[in-house]
Every structure is written in structure tokens, then in C-alpha cells.
Amino acid sequence: MTLSDAVAHLSPHRWATANRLLVRKALAEFAHERLITPEAAGDDRYAVLSDDGLTRYEFTATRRALDHWQVDADSITRHHDGRELPLAALDFFIELKKTLGLSDEILPVYLEEISSTLSGTCYKLAKPQIPVAELVRSGFQAIETGMTEGHPCFVANNGRLGFGVHEYLSYAPETASPVRLVWLAAHRSRAAFTAGVGIEYEAFLRDELGEATVERFNAVLRHHDLDPADYLFIPVHPWQWWNKLTVTFAAEVARKHLVCLGEGDDEYLAQQSIRTFFNRSHPGKHYVKTALSVINMGFMRGLSAAYMEATPAINDWLAQLIEGDPVLRSTGLSIIRERAAVGYRHLEYEAATDRYSPYRKMLAALWRESPVESLQEGESLATMASLVHVDHQGGSFAAALIERSGLTPTQWLRRYLRAYFTPLLHSFYAYDLVFMPHGENVVLVLKDGVVQRAIYKDIAEEIAVMDPDAVLPPAVERLRVDVPEDKKLLSVFTDVFDCFFRFLSANLASAGVLEEDDFWRTVAEAVREYQEARPELADKFRQYDMFAPEFALSCLNRLQLRDNEQMVDLSDPAGALQLVGTLRNPIAGL
């Protein structure tokens, strides 16, 4: 690839389109979060003024449930001093810096994340455009790499600060470039391997790597006069090796606490979460999740060696809970367990930092089960993020699934809600257990376009138990969190209603497939059906009322605009929430 080939996707036309799409999203989500207050400017038209009042944005929008602003991208205009100007996302944030609460320190870094997001959009626009009618019949990884939007709420959702363009082309999920992981040998004095019940290190690594590769790696150690028995193998993201470990961990390499063994033989594909890899060479083998010291969507995407130690035990505990619960079993719910983990502790950085420091999250990995092995005849997989995907012609992926299914929209929705939503309700009410159930953390099992069951993933870092008196095994104790009573149900209202159903219902309504009222009525029926089947939990249903008239509006972009590198204090996640007023509950009174 030549130097100019690397930026071939950055054409004037694609840049203009990417900017229009991003300004559309910024207007919609910032209006939703009440950072901006669009003023009525005629029939379904609204206006937003810059901080100095000299630049005016006008657009057409449909207002929907949950104060959702569906902005027509083609309708947006920008005027300054009576002259129309082209849409430019970087200018937008500078013009509204004060309104958005962007500090002098955060603004340039946020602009860099916006630039990266725009560049990624240009790349996606340069790819062959796959209509949703074709994508719904595609394989799991074709759907995974075919997503174009990223997180539906965050405006700067593909920042990936640290990636150069050549690394973007190699490692971003949308490029679908095959990746071979770098493998290191880590001295056991500083590394630890933990695994679920029945898993033993040597046999596990030989299954993952193959006998020949294990022997090749052992030969590298012997070449350095080192004993393979003294070391554990750790898979590493190539970016992490080249950009971090070779420099930041130079002492460990020099002292042979870390030894580079070379690349593995299997080819992997990066997933939507960017640091997790699907084994393309052997789809039935485990996913590998790696540490990646890149800033993306409000966090450094590292992986804690200390956290890894309890990860398999937490997954075994949750799998056992699901298996033993008849309600969860009846919905078909499963998890893809994080079966094994390995972490490396850099003692000097640990001595210099607290436990949340990015310096403690530079070298660890985990292995997660592949969902491919669980499929039955005629079944296929799709990331749940696909349900809010819209193609280049405005076609809804979810609408295309409904059409393929042959079911009525409400029948299809009920099947989906039973698979995905009912388990969340039951986990909350029966166990005070909450997930982070966004689109990238759920895999749907489909058959002829119909959702058969849901698979939750990203378990150990994302789940929490909100009951202070819950009896938990010692290895699982870290899941216990202290959340104020009035914020507990936000785990459903915010994560499910506001951050996912809001977009799904709007897309289906826009496609003329299912009216909003019918969507939310079906959600209400799913809640009632669950509650009527569990009368013994009636007190909990009253205490945490799913049909409450309103709930607090929790704002994600406000967090990122305030601090794009660490948007939540991990020691007090509930305390970090940005709550601004309330939203009317769309199922209240239904």
C-alpha cells in the first residue's frame, strides 16, 4: 500500500457526507440530552444557535417517545451572517463549545476523536454497500463487520486515539482485515493463569494453539536458555506489542520476564468492541479479548490483570445461576463464558499507581467461548447491534428481519423481547443482578429471521449485584455494588429503553413497519406477562415500578464531553451518572 492509498477513502464527497451524518447525530443526541434546546422554526423545523448567536443551524425533525429527535440529515443547513456554509463537524463543536460544556483541555482531544470518527465513516462509505435485505441472510462475521454506526448514543464513538491510519486499516472491525495475534511468554513470578472448572493450562493452550505451535514457542524459550515450565503464554494485540509493551515494558523484556514468541497461526477478526477477536480459522475456538491501550468512547481499553484472576469463577457462577433458574432457562438464555484468563503484573507500575490506573491494564487476556458451537440446524448468529443498523438507502435491518420472518411485526417483537428482555427483568427482580445489555454485548440466535434466543457476553467486567445482603462466593464478591434505591431501575430504563429500544422503535416507525405506540404496548405486555407469572415477586414489582410515570434521564455524551479519557469513576459508577431531568416512561399507563 502506498502512502496515498492509505487515505484514499478521504475524498471531498465522502467527507461532506460523513460530516452531515455526524452533525445530524450531534443535533439529535444533544437535544435528547438537553445540552441544546432547538427552537421551533416552522413546520417540523427547528433551529439551534451557536454560542455567539451568529451561526444558525436549521433542520427538520420528528419528535418521538423518550424525547427522541429523529433529524433528517438532508434537511440540515448552516448559516452565518446570512451566508450558507457547508456542514463541518469540527466547526460545530467549536461554535457550541460553551453550550456543550467543553473545557479548553478537553476540546482539542474531543475534536481528535470526532476526526477519527469521521475518517472511519468515510472508510465505511467507500466500502461496497450491502442492502439490509442481503445482510440479513449473511453470516455472523459479515454482519459484525457490516455495522456502520457504532454505539447509537455516543457522537464520538470511533475515536480510537492511538491508531494511525495504517493501524486503523489493519485492526478496525469494519475493515474486516485478518489479524494474527502476537504471543508472549510471561514469567510465572509475575503472571497468573486462572480458568473455569475442569480447565487445565497445558491442555487448554494446546487446544487453542495446536501442538506444533506450542512446541515452536517452547523452542524459542529454550533458544534463550529458558525453561518453558517457568512461563505462561499470553496473546497480545499487535498494536499493543508495537506501541506499548516494547517501550513501556522494556525492562520486563530486557530481563526476560517477557519473551516475544512470535505470531500464532490462526487468523482472527476484530469485533465491534475492537479489542476482542473472533477466530476466523477455527470458528468453534474461543474468542480472545486483549488489552488495548487505546482511548475509545470515554475509556482506555485496557484489561486488568487483577480483574482477570476472578473472571472465570464469576462466569461459572453466572452460568450455574442461569442453568438452575427455570424462568431464565425457559427463555433460552445462555452466556458465552469467559473460560480462562491470564494477566501480567508489572510490579513497579503497580507500586506507583492505584488499582484503576491504565498502567495496570496493559497486559492481560481472556478466552471467551464461541457461540458457533451452540447452533442447531438452520440457526445463524447476529450481533444485537444489527437491529438498529440502517443501510445506505435508509433500510432497517430489523425491518428486513421481520419481512423475512413472515410474522407480523408485533409477533416478531414478542419473540425478540422474550429472548432478550424477559431475562433482564427476571435477573433484576429475582437476583438484583444487572447486565450491560447494549447491542454489542448480546448475540442473537436467528432462524429464518426470527429471534430464537439471546446470548449475553462480556460478563465479568459488566455485571453487578445490587443487593447488599446477597450471599456471594468469595471469588464473586467484587460484583456487589452499592447503588441508591432510586437509581437501581435505571439499569433497565437507561440501558434498555433509552439506549436501545428508543432507536429500534424509531427505526421501525420510520420504515412504516410498526407504529411507536404498538412497539411500546408490546413491551408493556412483555413486562406484564412476566410479572403475572411471578406473583411471589409482587413486592419487588411495586418497589421498583416498571410502569412509573417517568424516570431520570441519564446522559452518556455529557460524561464523555466532561472527561473523554475516564468518563466514569470506576470506584463509584452510580455516583458518576449525569442525570438531567426526567423522561416520560413510554409504557406508563399501557
Side-chain angles (χ1 to χ4, degrees):
M1 178 184 292
T2 68
L3 294 173
S4 57
D5 285 344
V7 292
H9 57 289
L10 297 176
S11 69
H13 173 71
R14 283 194 283 268
W15 187 254
T17 301
N19 274 264
R20 182 167 289 277
L21 292 172
L22 193 137
V23 170
R24 182 215 68 76
K25 186 171 186 179
L27 289 168
E29 289 307 298
F30 294 162
H32 174 71
E33 294 192 10
R34 300 166 191 175
L35 281 156
I36 58 176
T37 307
E39 298 171 359
D43 295 339
D44 292 331
R45 280 194 75 74
Y46 297 89
V48 170
L49 294 180
S50 60
D51 291 341
D52 61 11
L54 299 178
T55 305
R56 179 182 178 90
Y57 291 85
E58 276 202 23
F59 56 91
T60 303
T62 303
R63 305 278 300 274
R64 297 196 181 276
L66 290 171
D67 203 14
H68 181 63
W69 290 73
Q70 205 157 22
V71 175
D72 177 3
D74 293 334
S75 73
I76 306 169
T77 60
R78 174 187 176 214
H79 286 85
H80 180 82
D81 263 358
R83 290 182 304 117
E84 183 165 358
L85 299 176
L87 296 184
L90 300 183
D91 287 343
F92 176 88
F93 292 100
I94 293 168
E95 290 165 353
L96 278 85
K97 170 190 166 186
K98 185 177 176 183
T99 299
L100 299 176
L102 279 160
S103 68
D104 291 342
E105 295 75 29
I106 296 293
L107 177 60
V109 190
Y110 190 76
L111 293 181
E112 187 178 357
E113 292 194 85
I114 291 295
S115 297
S116 177
T117 301
L118 290 168
S119 178
T121 301
C122 286
Y123 179 86
K124 293 166 192 172
L125 291 169
K127 289 172 66 176
Q129 303 294 300
I130 303 174
V132 288
E134 181 182 332
L135 197 60
V136 295
R137 298 176 183 273
S138 301
F140 182 30
Q141 291 307 293
I143 294 171
E144 182 79 23
T145 58
M147 298 300 94
T148 56
E149 180 47 54
H151 196 292
C153 298
F154 284 102
V155 176
N157 62 16
N158 282 315
R160 299 161 182 172
L161 297 186
F163 275 6
V165 69
H166 58 302
E167 292 155 334
Y168 170 85
L169 295 171
S170 298
Y171 308 130
E174 59 266 23
T175 66
S177 300
V179 177
R180 290 191 176 179
L181 300 178
V182 174
W183 285 79
L184 304 183
H187 198 272
R188 287 176 181 263
S189 63
R190 296 193 171 205
F193 175 88
T194 52
V197 175
I199 292 179
E200 183 271 327
Y201 171 75
E202 292 284 347
F204 182 80
L205 261 292
R206 288 179 188 276
D207 284 345
E208 281 297 301
L209 285 168
E211 194 79 34
T213 303
V214 170
E215 288 310 313
R216 186 171 88 239
F217 288 170
N218 284 339
V220 173
L221 290 170
R222 293 190 192 101
H223 175 74
H224 290 284
D225 295 323
L226 301 170
D227 184 352
D230 293 337
Y231 288 83
L232 297 171
F233 292 171
I234 301 184
V236 173
H237 195 296
W239 185 95
Q240 194 77 351
W241 169 249
W242 287 112
N243 292 277
K244 284 293 176 185
L245 302 180
T246 52
V247 178
T248 310
F249 280 45
E252 308 304 282
V253 176
R255 292 184 288 189
K256 297 291 187 275
H257 289 146
L258 291 175
V259 180
C260 184
L261 303 171
E263 292 182 342
D265 295 330
D266 289 352
E267 290 187 339
Y268 290 83
L269 287 175
Q271 302 296 279
Q272 287 287 309
S273 60
I274 203 166
R275 57 182 168 159
T276 302
F277 291 96
F278 177 86
N279 193 319
R280 190 175 83 157
S281 301
H282 300 93
K285 285 188 180 180
H286 291 78
Y287 287 95
V288 180
K289 184 174 182 177
T290 58
L292 184 63
S293 300
V294 165
I295 293 174
N296 195 46
M297 264 182 10
F299 287 108
M300 182 78 78
R301 297 291 160 175
L303 209 57
S304 165
Y307 257 50
M308 289 305 97
E309 291 185 17
T311 288
I314 289 170
N315 278 262
D316 282 351
W317 171 81
L318 182 59
Q320 197 171 14
L321 183 150
I322 292 170
E323 181 59 32
D325 186 282
V327 176
L328 297 178
R329 261 206 332 272
S330 71
T331 65
L333 177 72
S334 64
I335 61 170
I336 38 180
R337 288 175 295 176
E338 290 146 357
R339 298 294 281 140
V342 62
Y344 186 88
R345 306 183 73 160
H346 192 300
L347 303 184
E348 292 77 11
Y349 286 128
E350 286 197 6
T353 60
D354 67 33
R355 65 192 178 110
Y356 298 111
S357 169
Y359 284 95
R360 295 192 182 200
K361 300 177 182 180
M362 287 190 181
L363 184 50
L366 64 81
W367 287 269
R368 178 185 293 147
E369 292 171 320
S370 168
V372 172
E373 297 291 275
S374 69
L375 293 181
Q376 297 168 14
E377 185 68 31
E379 292 182 338
S380 62
L381 298 167
T383 174
M384 195 177 80
S386 63
L387 293 190
V388 293
H389 171 67
V390 176
D391 69 16
H392 57 295
Q393 298 169 320
S396 158
F397 186 92
L401 280 179
I402 292 169
E403 184 175 350
R404 187 184 179 200
S405 74
L407 301 176
T408 67
T410 50
Q411 287 173 334
W412 184 93
L413 183 59
R414 285 183 71 83
R415 296 284 290 272
Y416 161 64
L417 293 172
R418 176 158 178 76
Y420 164 67
F421 186 47
T422 300
L424 294 174
L425 291 172
H426 186 63
S427 297
F428 178 88
Y429 285 109
Y431 302 107
D432 290 275
L433 171 67
V434 294
F435 296 82
M436 185 65 73
H438 57 65
E440 201 283 314
N441 270 358
V442 180
V443 178
L444 300 176
V445 178
L446 303 168
K447 187 172 184 179
D448 300 324
V450 182
V451 178
Q452 304 296 305
R453 58 188 184 278
I455 304 171
Y456 295 171
K457 64 186 181 76
D458 215 356
I459 298 303
E461 287 194 291
E462 302 281 21
I463 67 172
V465 176
M466 299 188 295
D467 177 5
D469 301 317
V471 178
L472 299 174
V476 179
E477 183 60 37
R478 81 149 191 248
L479 295 180
R480 192 191 310 276
V481 294
D482 184 18
V483 177
E485 285 295 306
D486 62 342
K487 290 189 173 76
K488 286 185 177 179
L489 202 48
L490 285 181
S491 65
V492 177
F493 284 143
T494 297
D495 296 344
V496 182
F497 280 24
D498 193 31
C499 292
F500 200 79
F501 287 177
R502 171 163 65 94
F503 299 93
L504 179 58
S505 62
N507 288 355
L508 292 176
S510 292
V513 170
L514 186 64
E515 291 299 320
E516 274 191 291
D517 287 350
D518 294 328
F519 180 97
W520 290 109
R521 191 173 296 108
T522 307
V523 173
E525 288 167 0
V527 175
R528 265 212 184 80
E529 182 181 285
Y530 165 69
Q531 292 187 347
E532 287 168 1
R534 309 300 299 176
E536 72 278 11
L537 294 172
D539 289 345
K540 291 286 285 285
F541 299 149
R542 279 189 292 273
Q543 184 179 3
Y544 306 108
D545 184 7
M546 280 295 301
F547 296 95
E550 58 186 22
F551 58 86
L553 168 60
S554 182
C555 302
L556 300 186
N557 283 285
R558 284 177 180 263
L559 293 171
Q560 192 179 13
L561 291 163
R562 183 182 60 183
D563 185 349
N564 67 308
E565 293 187 17
Q566 182 75 37
M567 66 180 189
V568 173
D569 178 357
L570 297 175
S571 64
D572 181 22
L577 296 177
Q578 286 275 300
L579 303 177
V580 181
T582 60
L583 292 172
R584 192 184 76 77
N585 182 358
I587 68 169
L590 294 181

